[in-house]
Structures are given as C-alpha cells and as structure tokens.
Amino acid sequence: MFKFLKLKKDDSKLADLIFKETDRQRRTLDLIPSENFVFSSMLEAIGSPLMNKYSEGYPGKRYYPGNFYYDKIEKLAQERARKVFNLNKNWHINVQPYSGTPANIAIYLGLLNFNDKIMGMKLSAGGHLSHGHNVSFSGRGYKVVHYGVDLKNGFLNYTEIEKLAKKHKPKMIICGATAYPRIIDFQKFSQIAKKVGAYLLADISHIAGLVAAKIHPSPFPFADVVMTTTHKTLRGPRGAVIFCKKELGEKIDKAVFPGLQGGPHNNTIAGIALAFHLAKSKNFINYQKQILKNAGTLAKSLKNFGFDLVTGGTDNHLILIDLKNIGINGFEAEKLLERAGIIANRNTIPSDVSAFRPSGLRLGTPALTSRGMKEKEMKRIAFWIYQILILKKSPEKIKKEVEKMAIKFILPGIDE
Ligand code: DSN
C-alpha cells in the first residue's frame, strides 16, 4: 500500500493533492479507453533511482559514462518486447520514445522528407492528432491526405482507401485509431501500401495488449513500422516503443535520438521491461480476454437501453456512442456522467464536422477490468448511463451507488 509518507513530510500540500487524486480514482469509474492502472511493482520501477542519470545514445554507444546497468535494462526491454510479439531478429526495436506522439513524429522524421505526403485516418473518424491533423506538427511538416470511414455504417472502407491512395500516392500510410471500435485489417492496408509504394505504419497504441494476447490480428506480418504506447491496454508506464524492419533501424534510432529527443527516461524504460515481462503471463492474457468480454457486455447493454453505437457494436476494448438520437451532445453527456463519478470522454463521431461539441461519447473497459470488474458490473454501469442520459435522473443520486460499487474494487498500484 502506497502511503506517500516521505512526500507528506517534505511537501504536505503536494502529498495532499496526490492523495485526493488517488482517492478520486478509487471512488470513480474510469471508462476512458486509453487509460489504465499499473501495478505497485510498476510504480516501484518507474519511481526508482534510474531517473537520476543521463544516458544519451543507445546500449554500447552512450555519450555519458556509467551506463553499464542502463544498457542491460534497455536491452532487456527490447528483448522482452520482441518476445511478446514473437518477432525475429529482422525487427529492430527502439524503446526510448517519450510517448506516442513523439514516437510517430520520430518515424516521420526518420523515414520521410518534410512536405512528403502521408495518409492517415481523420481525427473525426477515430484517428489521432499525430496522424496528420493540421494542429499537429504531423499536419504542418507534411502534406496530408485523410481517409475516413463509411458514413453509412462507421466501418473502414478499404476500397475507398485504396482509391484515395492510388490518387494521391502518399509516401507513408498510417493505420491505427483512437476511437474505432472494430478490427483493423492490417493485411488490406499493407496490400494498398504496396500498390502505391508507401511505407505502412501501424499505430497500435490502443490495441497493443489485445495484439500481444493474440485476440486481435497482428500488424507485424504486414507493416514496415509498428508503434505502440505502453500505458494503455499494455498496462505499462507512459512511454512508447517503435518496431521497424531491421533495414530502417538506423534511421529510426537517429530520428529518436539525437533527432528529436535528448536523454532517455530510463525509469520508464525499466517500466517498459516490466510491462513486457508481465505481458507474457497467463494472467495478462486472461485480463485481455476479460477486457473484450466487458466491452461486449457494455455495448450490448447500452444498445438494449436504446443507445445508438457507431458500427453497431464493438470488436475491441472500446465503444463509441452516437448521442444524436437522445438529443444531447458529447460535452453535455461527459459532464453529466462526471457528476455521477462515471468518467468517459466526449468524442467526435464520423459524421461530425466540429470537435468542439462532438456528438459522441467514447467508453472503454481496460481500466475497470484492471480493477477486477466483470460483466455484472458492466450491466450496472450501462443502466446508470441510461438513467442519467436518457431518463434524466439526477447524477448526484446515482453517484452514491457508483461510489459504493467502485470502492468494493481495489485500486491497483495502491491497494494491492
Ligand atoms: N489521448 C489518447 C486517447 O485518449 O486515445 C491518444 O493519444
């Protein structure tokens, strides 16, 4: 049990804020699909004295002395990542990116020239800012073509994507999403990329845990580069890993450091090594399976209560509700649910033109599954969402019930 005793002594104000935030996490239901709870062993690894040192460079070729153990830890993280995804030596692995966006930017920096054309999924359709959005460096440093989803059903339309790729001939195609509730067909993306001579980058940040557990198709047989953050379904520290074909390794390494970053966060790299160690266990595989069962149950229950789901359901860890039929927007829904202690974020749905007042609400099950919640709890949560958003019941009244259920489940990392 983490008690923050030393912190209380040194900085009681900060300790109090951390304590309160920890308690908020315990008393509420985190349905944000990109969030998760780490184990206490992870907090120990990332809070360790590894954060004390500089080690620019890579194992065996650092710009500072004293990196004997850091080299071993970085190699351990790389080799464990390789094992989890069953990769042979034809894959090169970089575990230094600070997080997902810097990792994607490093990939562009390493493999493209500025103003080259990239093609990624539109943010409003479920993509990511770093896949070419105009407010991101990715949309300013490169020419961008965006694909969306079929507005009739919410699914990726590979025929349309191929037409677009043939018309614009991008140098890189990016697949992967933050709000797409269905399986991504990496093979189809690869066939399209090959036809136009583009690199294929698969950003599997959201689904990496499912891929590691072999319950989502793997991009590795098809992509030139695979990027994942490590803190979502993988349940690791906030960081990222780039996997690339061996021949691209030098370009990627140079782009990460010295191209884009300085000293690696070695404490995070230790956390990544631990996350990939834990990802080999039976518990991890069962956990990923439960994420899917929970998402399926939540989706089905929400539908039974009259909610309209983009694509009609889910194949993965997340659900996107289209709120238009109940007459509120995502911002209002997010706020109402937050008052009840149900934390889910507003999101655009594919037909939205503005992200300011989007029509969707995004829900995911990785975090609550880490707390040990199962199908029974998902049904209750769907019922509370129905009571608040459709029956307009007071969120404050529901909050008591939410809290009563939430505190029955441990807060990993803190209560274990
Ligand atoms: N912010 C993350 C998400 O919520 O999906 C992606 O970076």
Side-chain angles (χ1 to χ4, degrees), residues 25 28-33 35-37 341 343 364-368 371:
Q25 292 183 14
T28 56
L29 299 174
D30 183 359
L31 284 155
I32 295 179
E35 294 182 2
N36 213 332
F37 298 104
I343 311 298
T365 54
L368 293 186
R371 293 189 70 175

Side-chain angles (χ1 to χ4, degrees), residues 32 34 101 128 178 206 232 345 362:
I32 295 179
S34 48
T101 293
H128 189 254
T178 64
H206 265 256
K232 298 187 175 90
N345 70 288
R362 191 180 67 151

